[in-house]
Amino acid sequence: MFIHLGGEKIIRASELVAIFDLSIEKSSKISKQFINFATKDKKVEVIGDEESKSLVVTQSKVYYSPISSMTLKKRAHQLLTN
């Protein structure tokens, strides 16, 4: 099963670790550190040219997605319950 993250980016549902609203990046010191480490390791990818609305954490990368975290969570939930 796959989840569409926006643009032309699709990931395997089994790779998904977490989906966060982008506001967590500003409100949490730990999440800022996590993103900084991922950026240094070149494991961050921005999807498309639109404004990012969510962070999607997978086993190998962190994606900035233009799709809201609620929409992505609904997609993931539908896949996992089917």
Side-chain angles (χ1 to χ4, degrees):
M1 300 287 196
F2 297 92
I3 301 172
H4 178 249
L5 300 182
E8 296 182 13
K9 181 51 77 178
I10 297 172
I11 63 166
R12 289 184 183 274
S14 61
E15 294 178 21
L16 183 64
V17 174
I19 299 170
F20 298 104
D21 187 80
L22 195 60
S23 64
I24 195 168
E25 185 182 39
K26 297 173 184 156
S27 63
S28 170
K29 196 183 247 187
I30 292 171
S31 61
K32 285 180 195 176
Q33 290 175 341
F34 176 76
I35 296 298
N36 286 337
F37 284 122
T39 302
K40 287 178 186 175
D41 288 343
K42 298 181 181 175
K43 294 185 177 185
V44 174
E45 183 177 328
V46 178
I47 301 169
D49 297 329
E50 299 174 52
E51 181 182 348
S52 297
K53 297 178 183 173
S54 60
L55 281 173
V56 179
V57 180
T58 67
Q59 295 172 355
S60 59
K61 271 192 166 181
V62 177
Y63 297 95
Y64 282 87
S65 173
I67 299 175
S68 76
S69 59
M70 289 304 295
T71 300
L72 291 172
K73 287 178 185 178
K74 286 178 188 175
R75 291 179 185 178
H77 181 72
Q78 287 174 347
L79 289 175
L80 297 173
T81 57
N82 287 338

